[in-house]
Amino acid sequence: MGVIVGAVTTEPAAPAIKAVAALEEDLRRGMYTFIRGAVRPVTRDEAAASVGISRKLAAFHLDKLVDAGLLRSRYEAVGGIRKVGRTPKVYEPADTDFAVTIPPRRHGVLADILLDAVVTETEGETARETALRVAAERGESLGAAERASLRPGRLGAERGLTVTETVLARQGFEPRRETPTCVRLRNCPFHPLASKAPDLVCGINQAFLGGIVAGLEVPGVDAVLIDPAPGGCCVELRADQPGG
């Protein structure tokens, strides 16, 4: 199931859900569609007229759309001419794009990896090798950024596995601890693309997750390819046995 407003983004789920929920109301959705189609700032009076409601009621709904991040507003003289009285408030689409997918999908991450692979492919590299390299680099960069937000201190295998779980949960993998040393990922953020080219996409996924572990500087934790359950991820995380 997926609901998309604009293009796919890496925005956290909560703002995206709030934006989509704001469009459930017919009047708001009508004004939002009108404003997107206007290709210029729209006044409250114009927005109200587009759906046949009062200016006051339109102001309420328009401000809800601003609060949800779908519109932005400012005061501007209509037609660039300043008249007597208060400058009217105008509305236009915000630059932010939102996407909600249930369960979580990260097709944009895969697209970015493949695009960077095309741009950075070097002589002597196959397309697949380049994609795996870029995926590992992207994961390592993400892991390093996450590590920078942690408290200083060495991460043992057990704590490192827990930290990795937290990071992957934010990426939509839905991790679950199967045993003290094994984390299964119940969701594949790259589904259904993984089913179209499993060798390539699963390889990219393993490289990406291995890069996250490397960026987190987690010792004794590996991203291992497995045969996934339906809808599940083709990679699981395994940590060294305590004392191993």
Side-chain angles (χ1 to χ4, degrees):
M1 172 183 173
V3 181
I4 298 179
V5 179
V8 173
T9 180
T10 54
E11 283 286 318
I17 291 172
K18 183 178 181 181
V20 172
L23 293 174
E24 182 181 12
E25 215 287 331
D26 290 342
L27 293 173
R28 285 180 209 155
R29 189 166 62 252
M31 286 189 289
Y32 178 74
T33 301
F34 172 75
I35 292 169
R36 285 200 64 85
V39 199
R40 60 173 176 78
V42 171
T43 66
R44 287 177 178 174
D45 288 333
E46 291 174 314
S50 73
V51 294
I53 59 176
S54 69
R55 183 178 183 278
K56 184 175 182 180
L57 182 56
F60 169 78
H61 287 301
L62 289 168
D63 288 344
K64 288 289 186 182
L65 292 171
V66 171
D67 183 57
L70 290 163
L71 298 179
R72 61 180 177 226
S73 64
R74 66 178 184 275
Y75 290 96
E76 180 181 280
V78 179
I81 301 174
R82 183 66 181 271
K83 297 181 180 180
V84 177
R86 187 178 180 181
T87 303
K89 196 172 190 179
V90 296
Y91 299 83
E92 59 189 350
D95 292 333
T96 308
D97 298 330
F98 295 98
V100 177
T101 53
I102 303 172
R105 302 299 185 213
R106 292 290 183 270
H107 296 155
V109 172
L110 185 59
D112 283 345
I113 289 171
L114 293 174
L115 180 61
D116 284 351
V118 171
V119 172
T120 66
E121 183 177 351
T122 61
E123 186 176 353
E125 269 188 327
T126 66
R128 177 185 174 84
E129 289 170 343
T130 306
L132 296 182
R133 170 178 58 78
V134 171
E137 292 170 352
R138 180 65 59 88
E140 187 168 358
S141 177
L142 190 156
E146 291 281 357
R147 181 175 175 78
S149 67
L150 298 174
R151 293 180 180 179
R154 185 176 181 276
L155 293 175
E158 173 63 23
R159 181 170 176 242
L161 198 59
T162 299
V163 168
T164 306
E165 283 182 87
T166 301
V167 173
L168 296 188
R170 287 199 285 268
Q171 296 300 310
F173 285 92
E174 298 182 356
R176 181 179 65 188
R177 185 73 66 98
E178 291 285 318
T179 71
T181 59
C182 177
V183 172
R184 281 285 180 95
L185 307 175
R186 293 175 293 170
N187 180 54
C188 173
F190 303 138
H191 184 80
L193 299 178
S195 63
K196 294 183 178 180
D199 289 344
L200 174 62
V201 177
C202 290
I204 289 173
N205 192 22
Q206 182 187 25
F208 178 66
L209 295 177
I212 290 176
V213 171
L216 287 169
E217 298 182 12
V218 175
V221 175
D222 294 311
V224 181
L225 279 174
I226 62 169
D227 291 327
C233 183
C234 56
V235 178
E236 69 179 19
L237 301 177
R238 298 177 188 171
D240 292 341
Q241 293 285 345

